[in-house]
Structure formats: structure tokens, C-alpha cells
Amino acid sequence: MTKYFTAESVANGHPDKVADQIADAILDAVLAKDPQARAAIEVTTSTGDVSIFGELSTTAYVNIRQIAVDTVRAIGYDQPEYGFAADAINVSNKIVEQSADIAQAVDVAEDDPDQLGAGDQGMVFGYATNETADYLPLALDLSHQLMRQIRAVRESEQVTYLRPDAKAEVSLALDDEGQVERIAAVVLSTQHDEQVSLANLRADMKKLVLDAVLPADLVDEQTQFYINPSGRFVLGGPQADSGLTGRKIIVDTYGGAAHHGGGAFSGKDATKVDRSGAYYARYVAKNLVAAGLADKVELQVAYAIGVAAPVSLNVTTFGTAKVADSVIQAVVDQLFDFRPLAIIQSLDLQRPIYQQTAAYGHFGRPDLDLPWEALDQVPAIQDLVKKLQS
């Protein structure tokens, strides 16, 4: 029986992604001056308005309003008719200082005074699969590629009617073993100017976006294409739908192919394990798969606020392991340190690298040099496996 799996992505002009990018742009600006800053910045966007709130403790001064305006302009919201334009938005700043109770819990871990405590309780997940060269699920990888491609088409002005908001969704047909047989359906919705005809838009998007990205060997005469199925998408972005940081956490991670702990990434500094712990869990999972220990790996890591060591750590391979589960667990225990300070130091996370992740996913990203995507532990993993098996 044929099974299906679907994942989606959204463009950098999607209202929730506008909010994420503003939050991470502020975080980056602060970290550039104060690497020790603590931040949990939230943003909402709506017609003509950006509201910024949350917590920030830092010695740095940054012009938050200007950062928001510049970010909106860079995304492409620069025309009054978009209903949300950089030069006309109202920016309100309601950021407050981080709670002293949280700060004291993080500064000195309860279980180790030389370590940072986790910034909150909660669990995070990391996942990797050898379905793609990026170690991401194929449906999600293709959805992200479609969104990056439509941005390239818009910014290079191959067509001149595109506006910044867009979404994509890819559905794959799978066999009984879970292997990809074909692309069953693709949905692409893009914001556009008033004057373009639907027929022209559909023809252009099929040629310039879909055909440029989708693997030809997975497309057949049964593949269904839904290009702007609503028929009209002139009003978009924050003018048509309010945006909020952290509302696209499945797009940010694994497209629904793996579990999610519930915590968002954008606007948070690396003492927040919602972000750093999830990045590190991805790093470990990806290196384990790249080292050949399994076809798929998912890690769950749980933390208590103010405590450095995780309260639990679980590794799942979905029946795809090539070595004993005990060997994989020993590799994780011996080679990787999940305490927040160790993660920050290992991945060099107290620097301005976050705004670039706030659209098109935080993982995979062959277009970026992200430390948690490095495969630098593969040789060490393979050497340790040999010793453990000898």
C-alpha cells in the first residue's frame, strides 16, 4: 500500500518568518557587542506594525527600531502598496531585563559550580536521516529549496510581479519500506502584484521554480501541481496575517518527520537549551548517521532549569542501526557533552550567526556554514566504534 509524507516551508516574507528574522537580527546585533548577553526576544507583526517584547540583559546598546526597519526592507517589504513597508511601519519596543531569578540559576549550575545551568526546563530533539545529502527528510529539503528558488527569482527580477510572501508543500509517495517512489503533489503559493494573470504566473512558476528544483526522476504524469490554488494572492505578509516568533517550529526543524520539544529558536541566546540543546542534538544525530551507525537517528535530551547535566538522554534509530544500540549509546556518552556551557564552547555559539537561520530552516543549509551542521566528529565516532567492537 502506498503511503505519503508531506512537509512544508515558507518564504522569508511570510509574516511569522518576518518576526523570526527581526528577533534574530536584534540578537545578532547585541551579540556582536556583548557575547555574554542573555536574550529571549519575541516579535509580532501586523498591518503597518512591529511589536517587540521579551527579555534582554546586556551591556550593549543597539538601535532596535532601526534593526527592525532594516530587516523588513531587506526582506523585500519596501513598497507602500504591500500594506507593510519598511519606511512606514510603527515599531514599539517593550523589551524588559531578564529575571534575576533566572539569571542566578543559569550563572552557576546547581550540580556543578563551574558550569552554566540550563536556562529552562524542557526537552529537545535532534534528528538526521540519510535520505538526502543534507541529512534532512527529502520532502522538507525540497520545500526549502523551492522557497530559496522563488526568492532568487524574485530578487533577480526574472519576473517583476512577485512579492515577498510565499509557501510550498511537497508530498512524497512511499513504498512499504518507506522509500521514496515519486513526488505525488506539490503546492506553491506566492504573493504577486495585481496586474499579473493567473495563467502567466502558473506558467512562470512551473518553469522557473518547480522545474528548476524538483528531481526529474521523481516527477511523473501523475504528479499534481497546485500553483496559487486560491487563484489570487495579492494581499500577503503581515498585511494579511499577523506574524509571531516561534510559530513555524516544524518548518524550522524536520518538517514533522521527527518529534519536537515545543520550544522555538529565534530571539534566544545560547544559554537557552531550546536553541543550543536542539542544535547540539542535531549535530550529534547527523554525525552518527554520517559515520554509518544508522540510517536515521533521533535524540531526545531533557533539562532542568539551573542544572547543567541533562536529566535524560535517549537515542532512537527506528530499526535502522548498523551496530548494537549499546555501541551507539556508548559513543554518545563518551564523545559528546550536552551541558550548556560545553555546547556553547564546542559550537562557538556566542556570536552573531543567527539571523541567517531565521528563514528556510535551521538545519541542512548547504548555503551556510553552521557549526552544528559540521561532520567533524565522524572519524572519532568510527574509531571509537572499532575499539568498542574489538
Side-chain angles (χ1 to χ4, degrees):
M1 182 180 71
T2 301
K3 301 177 182 179
Y4 298 91
F5 181 77
T6 300
E8 72 160 347
S9 184
V10 298
N12 66 331
H14 185 281
D16 295 328
K17 285 285 118 194
V18 174
D20 285 340
Q21 289 167 93
I22 293 171
D24 274 336
I26 295 168
L27 175 63
D28 277 358
V30 170
L31 290 176
K33 296 181 177 181
D34 178 13
Q36 303 298 321
R38 304 282 172 80
I41 299 164
E42 308 285 353
V43 178
T44 62
T45 62
S46 59
T47 303
D49 185 78
V50 172
S51 296
I52 304 167
F53 49 103
E55 297 81 46
L56 176 63
S57 296
T58 180
T59 60
Y61 169 77
V62 297
N63 188 330
I64 287 177
R65 184 189 184 282
Q66 193 62 52
I67 291 168
V69 169
D70 291 346
T71 303
V72 169
R73 181 179 292 108
I75 290 169
Y77 287 111
D78 54 5
Q79 302 299 319
E81 58 265 31
Y82 294 171
F84 184 82
D87 292 330
I89 56 172
N90 173 62
V91 179
S92 61
N93 177 8
K94 301 175 183 178
I95 293 176
V96 299
E97 192 170 359
Q98 183 189 53
S99 162
D101 291 349
I102 295 175
Q104 63 87 24
V106 174
D107 289 341
V108 180
E110 180 179 291
D111 56 329
D112 187 341
D114 294 327
Q115 293 288 321
L116 294 175
D120 200 354
Q121 73 172 50
M123 81 289 294
V124 298
F125 289 88
Y127 178 76
T129 171
N130 58 13
E131 278 183 51
T132 66
D134 300 332
Y135 296 87
L136 285 181
L138 179 60
L140 178 66
D141 201 35
L142 291 175
S143 297
H144 284 326
Q145 288 184 50
L146 290 172
M147 289 294 90
R148 292 198 295 268
Q149 178 65 12
I150 204 167
R151 178 181 181 176
V153 169
R154 174 171 61 87
E155 293 185 345
S156 65
E157 296 186 336
Q158 294 179 63
V159 296
T160 58
Y161 56 76
L162 291 178
R163 293 183 178 184
D165 198 357
K167 292 183 175 182
E169 185 177 86
V170 176
S171 299
L172 302 178
L174 312 174
D175 63 21
D176 290 338
E177 303 299 320
Q179 300 301 307
V180 177
E181 292 182 326
R182 49 186 288 274
I183 295 174
V186 180
V187 182
L188 179 70
S189 295
T190 183
Q191 188 186 14
H192 57 84
D193 288 347
E194 182 84 43
Q195 73 276 7
V196 65
S197 73
L198 183 59
N200 285 345
L201 181 147
R202 286 175 169 169
D204 288 342
M205 294 303 98
K206 177 66 165 59
K207 176 183 177 182
L208 297 174
V209 180
L210 301 186
D211 291 350
V213 168
L214 302 177
D217 60 332
L218 295 180
V219 176
D220 58 26
E221 65 279 358
Q222 293 180 293
T223 301
Q224 296 178 301
F225 297 103
Y226 301 94
I227 301 174
N228 277 39
S230 69
R232 176 182 167 88
F233 190 1
V234 174
L235 298 180
Q239 181 187 24
D241 188 12
S242 62
L244 177 66
T245 42
R247 199 155 55 184
K248 283 289 176 282
I249 57 176
I250 300 303
V251 171
D252 287 342
T253 53
Y254 306 107
H259 292 93
H260 196 293
F265 299 155
S266 290
K268 297 178 181 177
D269 74 274
T271 65
K272 312 296 188 295
V273 290
D274 278 347
R275 183 168 218 162
S276 56
Y279 286 175
Y280 197 69
R282 159 65 176 180
Y283 172 67
V284 175
K286 184 177 180 181
N287 275 271
L288 292 173
V289 172
L293 274 60
D295 293 334
K296 298 179 183 180
V297 170
E298 181 185 80
L299 279 80
Q300 185 204 49
V301 190
Y303 291 91
I305 187 169
V307 179
V311 299
S312 72
L313 193 159
N314 185 67
V315 183
T316 303
T317 60
F318 308 94
T320 69
K322 312 303 181 185
V323 299
D325 289 346
S326 60
V327 171
I328 296 176
Q329 189 65 57
V331 167
V332 173
D333 292 342
Q334 294 183 39
L335 293 183
F336 298 100
D337 188 342
F338 286 83
R339 295 174 298 174
L341 181 58
I343 292 172
I344 290 169
Q345 293 173 339
S346 173
L347 300 182
D348 192 14
L349 295 180
Q350 291 178 315
R351 54 194 175 105
I353 58 172
Y354 298 109
Q355 185 183 359
Q356 61 186 345
T357 68
Y360 315 116
H362 292 245
F363 305 127
R365 302 308 302 267
D367 53 320
L368 304 177
D369 182 21
L370 301 175
W372 53 89
E373 291 299 307
L375 293 175
D376 53 350
Q377 295 302 311
V378 169
I381 291 171
Q382 292 172 334
D383 288 345
L384 181 54
V385 168
K386 290 177 183 177
K387 293 177 182 177
L388 292 169
Q389 292 180 324
S390 61

